[in-house]
Every structure is written in structure tokens, then in C-alpha cells.
Amino acid sequence: MVALNYLTAFLWLVTFAAASPIPDVDRRGPFGPIRFPQIDPRGLLCKLPFIRIICPRGGSSNPTCSTPIGTARGVVDPDGANRYSVKYANANRWQPSTVATTWSLPNGSTNITALPLACPQVNADASSVSEDCLSMILYVPATLHVGSNAPTFVWIHGGSFFVGSANGPGLDGSKLAIATNSIVAVIQYRLGALGFMAPDGKTNLAVGDAINALKFLKNVVPSFGGSTSKITIAGQSAGATMVRALLAAPSASSLFKNAILHSDPMDFGFLSTTAQQNMQSHFNTEINCGATDTACHNALSLSTITDASLELFSSAASFEPSAGMSQPMRPVRDGSLITSSLDSASFPSMSKPVLINTVVNDAGPAIYGNFDEPMGEQMFQAVVFGTLGEDRGDTILSSTHYPLPPTVNGQLDARPTLETMGTDQMWKCPSWTFARNYIQNGGTAYIGVYSVGATYPSNDGVSFCAQNGVVCHEDDIQIVFGTTNSPTAAQSSLTTEVHKRYKAFMNNGNPNPSGVSAWSAATSSNLNAKDLGGSSAIPIGACDPSFWGAAVPYDYQVYP
């Protein structure tokens, strides 16, 4: 029974790719405490004077900018950029959103220092969330002005499409904006059932939200000095899955130039319409509303909806295996908005340059966050078979790719092997397969692996993630944003390098500015994976197409 319980826990863990842990009703889950949006008091401290350069401004330290939809009012962020919070779209419950036509502060606020309330999510305090949550935060260098032709960097937060917000830890875009001379926009979108489980069967509402955020930006960034032809979308974990969904949506193609994906859990593809319908039926039963009973839908309390959303999140894989356990509510290949699966079975012609990044220990929090004691061979075999099934499990165990480490003081600990396998299965190998398919269909792709990171708050309780040389899932976020607290020399160096590379990529689709080592584009014969933070060659290992994807199929191949 103990082995079975550990197996059940592992099935949750090894497939977990969310940017936040899965909660339960007592605010804890098998991955640790859930992280919720925090009200950021930085705006109250924004009293610093600055020079009038960007746009006409109101008095003292409050920047203003005239846009086609009204006057934008902001504050000076403590790290130097001008910060504007704004509502980008409107949406009624379980209806498609529409782009905002007037410049409005989020949530009906009159306080320009206020940051957006998060979208409704489990266990969040009622005062910290709102259904009126389709907002973004803009960070604009004070040196920009109309005609600057600056790029825009759009960040889509992770959280398993279940939790998260634009106010997440480390997502202050001020330093990134100044270092790259770009406008940084951090957006949020509807989560969980409110974003993906409309009772009447409408799909991809949250994807539509992200598209409307891009449309909004197209309209307003010229007023802040931005170019409408240099918009780069980027995201981490579920945010990267959203980026991939936008790459697969023809209607979004004209809205951005380049894309950056950080630790996209590509092992599971987009949901099929059949899987979506199966999950939808289950959800409708939970809320006890008919598909077309809008009066019932609108009468539901947020707590009822989020409770039903949690129940679906927790149970979906038990009745719909293709849903998986990491982000079962996710974009749907509906044939209208999303027309391609973007996997080895369906890949259209591609043209946009992409950066495809993972970290060296993406599975670290999942494995070591649950198994806090050494794992013996018997348990290792149990979780491999339980996760992959008999055929794929046999192939893994008989291969030379995942040898067990040597016994130390008479004790075997298989967790390092399991962590490597989990990272390969969910993140590294499917991402590299995606890159091969992308370039074979006309696109340009650069592959990166972060070997230096900064421990993200959600990983603080995982001792493995604190070890030297370990970079866990999410540990690249603060490197990208330049928000690492008291960075080491290695962290500062990598942040400077990443800012240079991302600035070049945003401007011309190539992450190779002068003064840094060459980052070669992937080819059909050599992926040229770049060690971000070191100089080592990144080995292909098990990520050869003859192993993962063939001998050991990805889950999107097992559950098409």
C-alpha cells in the first residue's frame, strides 16, 4: 500500500510542469504550499523624479502618455522604468473577451499605483482576485519616445493554466525593459474552468484573451515608442504552452514577430476536441448546470466554480488519460482557432524565429519535492512502469540512457536517474523534437539550456534545488527579468548575457549580438544546444529521435 501511495504521488509529480504547485483545500498539495498573488506596495514608494522624455506627463513623478484610446497614467517603478497597469479586454463569464476601447485602470480602480487583481483561482483570498482580470502591466524605459521603434516583450505567466498572475514573484519588468530598451508587457488571462471550461462547449477562451492582449498592444505601443512590427511573445511552463498555442493559431500570426518558450511541458500536446468534451461533461455535472442554462451559470459563486475547477484538475487524468496531471485544462486543437497540433503528427509551414529553452533540472521540484528520502531500485521501477506503462517502461529500464547511480554506504538512491528521466520526458526531449520539426518546416530555432539559475520562491523548500549546479523548473525566471536578490557573479553575468541576447532577438530574430559567444541556429543534423551559463556542450543523450519519440513515444503520441 505504501508503494502504491508513492506511485500515485509520483504520477502527479513527474508530469507536473506548472509554474506553481497544485493546491488542496488546506492550502497545501503534494508539491508544497500554493503560491498566490500578492498586493505589491511598490507603487506607494514611487516618489522619484524623472526627466520628461517619453510622452507629455502630468505633475511631478506620475508619467502620462496620450494613446489612441485615452490618456495612460502611470508611476515610476522603483527600478527606473515607467509602469502602467491597464485593462486590455472585457469579458462576461464564459464568453469570449473583446479588446478594450478605452484606457482604463484595472478593476475599476482610480489608484494609479494599484496593480491588477489576479484572475480567480483556488484558495485565493476574495480581495485579491476578480473576474474582471484581463489586465496587463507595462514597463516602459523613460528614454523611449514616439518614433523610437522599440521592440515589445510580452511575458505570459505560468501556473498550469490554474494559478498565477502578472504580479508573480520576480516578474517586475523594469530592469528587463531598461536593459533591452524595450517595452515589457506582463499579461494575465482567465484560468482554470473560467478560461477553458465554458459549459456550453466554447473552447480556448484564455487563448482568445492572450490574442486580445496582443491586439491591444498593437494599438497602443506606438504611443510609448514601440514598433508594431517588433513584438516578441514569451512565457514559462504553461505560459510557454500558451506561446505554442499562439504559434498554432493562424489568426494570431500577424500580431507578433518572434517567440520564446521556457520549459514548455510538450510531452502532452493540445487537447483533442473529444478529450475536451469528455472533461466538459464532467465539469458540467460538478456545477449542476445545463450546457445552455446561462442563468444557472451566472448565478454560480466563484467559490463553487473554483472548487469544481480543482476537482476537475485533480481527477481529469483518471477518466481522460490524455489530459495528464500537469495542466489538464489547456488549449484545444479545435480546428478553428488552433488548427495544428504542432507535434510530429501535424506541423504546418513555419517562419517565425523561436528560442526554445529548458533548464538542466526541470523535474527537480517534482521528484525531490515529493521523495525526500533515497529511492531504492524497486520503487524506481514501480514509478517508471506506473508512469510510462509496460512497453515504454521496459524500454527505459533496458536502455543505457538511464543507469542507476552507484550504491553509497550500502544504499541506492535512484532519484538522480528519475529526475533526469523526468526532465527528458516532459521538457527537454519533446522540446528538441519540436525544434527539429520546426526547422524542417521552414522556421528558425535556437535551443538553449539554462545551467545557471536563481532559486524561485516556489522551490525554496526543495533542498535539491539549492545545490550548486542545480537549476530547477522556474529558476530561469529571475535571470530573465534581472530580479535575482543579491545575485552571484555567475547569475549577474548570465543575466547581462541574456539581456543582450534577448534584445538582439527582439530586434532582428537572432540572439547573437557582438561581445557574446556564438549561438548557432539548430539544423536538421545538429541542434547546437547552447549552454546558458556555461561553456559545456549539451549532450543529446536520450533526446535522439530514435529513442524518445520512437522507442519511447511521447504522451501526445500515446494519447493522440
Side-chain angles (χ1 to χ4, degrees):
M1 181 60 70
V2 172
L4 180 59
N5 288 339
Y6 272 106
L7 174 58
T8 301
F10 178 77
L11 294 178
W12 279 69
L13 287 162
V14 78
T15 58
F16 186 72
S20 294
I22 295 177
D24 61 21
V25 294
D26 68 355
R27 294 178 177 262
R28 294 192 62 83
F31 313 108
I34 187 69
R35 191 179 69 247
F36 294 108
Q38 298 177 348
I39 301 300
D40 190 337
R42 293 171 299 168
L44 300 177
L45 304 176
C46 295
K47 303 295 184 182
L48 300 177
F50 61 98
I51 302 171
R52 292 185 57 174
I53 296 178
I54 176 172
C55 292
R57 294 178 173 85
S60 67
S61 61
N62 294 332
T64 65
C65 180
S66 178
T67 80
I69 58 173
T71 299
R73 298 181 298 137
V75 297
V76 179
D77 187 85
D79 288 321
N82 296 329
R83 189 183 79 223
Y84 301 86
S85 296
V86 63
K87 177 178 178 177
Y88 70 79
N90 300 283
N92 293 324
R93 180 177 288 180
W94 282 316
Q95 297 301 317
S97 57
T98 57
V99 180
T101 56
T102 59
W103 186 279
S104 302
L105 294 175
N107 315 115
S109 176
T110 58
N111 179 5
I112 60 174
T113 70
L115 297 175
L117 297 177
C119 291
Q121 50 199 274
V122 294
N123 287 346
D125 185 88
S127 65
S128 69
V129 300
S130 170
E131 283 194 72
D132 180 22
C133 64
L134 300 185
S135 301
M136 66 173 68
I137 307 173
L138 297 177
Y139 299 87
V140 184
T143 53
L144 295 186
H145 55 81
V146 174
S148 289
N149 200 37
T152 298
F153 180 89
V154 184
W155 182 263
I156 306 173
H157 71 78
S160 211
F161 295 119
F162 200 59
V163 294
S165 76
N167 304 324
L171 298 187
D172 184 317
S174 189
K175 290 181 178 179
L176 175 62
I178 292 171
T180 59
N181 199 40
S182 69
I183 298 168
V184 173
V186 184
I187 73 169
Q188 51 192 40
Y189 48 92
R190 283 175 285 181
L191 300 169
L194 288 168
F196 293 95
M197 285 289 141
D200 65 359
K202 287 190 294 289
T203 60
N204 294 318
L205 293 177
V207 181
D209 296 343
I211 290 174
N212 283 335
L214 297 178
K215 290 179 179 178
F216 179 88
L217 287 167
K218 278 271 192 179
N219 191 24
V220 303
V221 292
S223 301
F224 295 92
S227 168
T228 60
S229 63
K230 293 196 292 187
I231 294 177
T232 294
I233 58 174
Q236 191 271 344
S237 196
T241 303
M242 182 69 85
V243 169
R244 183 159 42 95
L246 296 173
L247 286 167
S251 61
S253 182
S254 64
L255 301 175
F256 64 98
K257 175 184 177 182
N258 308 315
I260 304 176
L261 299 88
H262 284 257
S263 296
D264 184 353
M266 293 190 189
D267 176 64
F268 280 97
F270 303 134
L271 283 179
S272 69
T273 54
T274 300
Q276 171 75 14
Q277 291 164 3
N278 194 11
M279 294 169 63
Q280 187 68 67
S281 177
H282 183 91
F283 178 75
N284 287 4
T285 299
E286 285 295 313
I287 60 172
N288 197 28
C289 284
T292 60
D293 190 349
T294 56
C296 182
H297 305 160
N298 292 330
L300 293 169
S301 67
L302 276 181
S303 61
T304 296
I305 295 172
T306 54
D307 285 349
S309 185
L310 175 58
E311 195 285 329
L312 179 62
F313 197 113
S314 304
S315 65
S318 66
F319 62 85
E320 180 52 63
S322 68
M325 296 178 182
S326 63
Q327 47 191 47
M329 288 174 276
R330 62 180 185 269
V332 181
R333 189 177 71 254
D334 57 5
S336 54
L337 181 64
I338 297 178
T339 58
S340 168
S341 62
L342 285 195
D343 58 36
S344 55
S346 173
F347 224 102
S349 176
M350 306 302 292
S351 60
K352 299 180 186 296
V354 297
L355 300 184
I356 303 170
N357 300 319
T358 57
V359 302
V360 291
N361 305 106
D362 261 313
I367 304 306
Y368 287 86
N370 184 60
F371 297 105
D372 54 6
E373 297 292 337
M375 175 185 291
E377 183 173 4
Q378 185 176 3
M379 178 60 69
F380 171 75
Q381 293 177 353
V383 295
V384 170
F385 283 122
T387 303
L388 298 175
E390 184 175 350
D391 291 342
R392 292 191 293 170
D394 276 335
T395 304
I396 287 286
L397 294 177
S398 63
S399 76
T400 59
H401 291 297
Y402 302 109
L404 292 175
T407 298
V408 177
N409 296 326
Q411 186 175 50
L412 171 70
D413 186 3
R415 289 178 299 173
T417 301
L418 193 61
E419 190 279 319
T420 300
M421 191 195 78
T423 294
D424 285 354
Q425 176 203 3
M426 182 61 71
W427 292 278
K428 178 182 173 185
C429 295
S431 292
W432 288 19
T433 294
F434 174 87
R436 293 185 183 95
N437 291 329
Y438 199 88
I439 62 177
Q440 288 169 4
N441 286 276
T444 302
Y446 297 86
I447 310 302
V449 179
Y450 277 74
S451 63
V452 167
T455 302
Y456 202 66
S458 58
N459 293 329
D460 281 343
V462 183
S463 59
F464 172 78
C465 296
Q467 297 179 22
N468 289 335
V470 170
V471 185
C472 286
H473 193 68
E474 299 184 280
D475 286 354
D476 49 343
I477 293 175
Q478 294 175 103
I479 297 294
V480 171
F481 277 80
T483 51
T484 305
N485 185 35
S486 301
T488 65
Q491 291 168 333
S492 294
S493 177
L494 180 57
T495 293
T496 299
E497 177 186 343
V498 167
H499 286 171
K500 289 180 180 179
R501 292 191 184 279
Y502 281 26
K503 178 180 180 179
F505 184 74
M506 284 188 272
N507 279 288
N508 57 40
N510 189 320
N512 284 289
S514 60
V516 296
S517 59
W519 187 351
S520 300
T523 69
S524 57
S525 58
N526 189 347
L527 291 181
N528 297 312
K530 181 68 175 176
D531 183 350
L532 296 171
S535 58
S536 301
I538 304 295
I540 292 177
C543 295
D544 187 288
S546 66
F547 191 74
W548 278 108
V552 185
Y554 301 117
D555 284 288
Y556 65 70
Q557 296 169 304
V558 177
Y559 307 110

